[in-house]
Amino acid sequence: MRISKVIGNVTLSRIHPTLQGGSFRLAVPASEEELPWSAVSEEGEVPSSEAVVVYDALGAGVGQWIGIGEGREAVNPFYPEVKPVDAYNALILDQLSR
């Protein structure tokens, strides 16, 4: 699981039937220096990693910190139903502290 910052929404014209009820977010995984408790981090700064499209059934908003599961772990929470996702939003972080 990686801590990531939501930087945007993904709009689809059609969605796979198994993905109804959720939406897609654009999130950027954060490095240690980019987390809020880092002395280097500034409020509103966008992390510098490559963005990931994340399936979100929890309703995260732009600017929120989330935990994302990727690869095989992204499909496990939906078992036995199969959803065609590579990354999913496992949690929304209310606060981060060291």
Side-chain angles (χ1 to χ4, degrees):
M1 181 167 304
R2 295 195 291 175
I3 296 174
S4 305
K5 188 170 190 175
V6 177
I7 61 167
N9 300 309
V10 177
T11 304
L12 303 172
S13 59
R14 293 183 357 181
I15 193 164
H16 192 274
T18 62
L19 299 174
Q20 294 294 332
S23 56
F24 287 90
R25 306 283 182 240
L26 197 58
V28 180
S31 68
E32 177 69 25
E33 295 79 32
E34 294 165 331
L35 292 172
W37 59 72
S38 173
V40 178
S41 179
E42 295 180 19
E43 189 61 35
E45 184 178 331
V46 176
S48 61
S49 302
E50 188 173 316
V52 177
V53 175
V54 180
Y55 177 72
D56 177 30
L58 301 177
V62 174
Q64 286 188 301
W65 290 95
I66 62 173
I68 61 171
E70 298 175 278
R72 179 67 185 150
E73 294 173 358
V75 180
N76 285 343
F78 307 111
Y79 184 80
E81 185 178 3
V82 177
K83 292 186 185 264
V85 297
D86 250 357
Y88 81 104
N89 177 10
L91 56 100
I92 298 173
L93 297 160
D94 290 329
Q95 70 177 19
L96 290 169
S97 60
R98 186 170 239 196

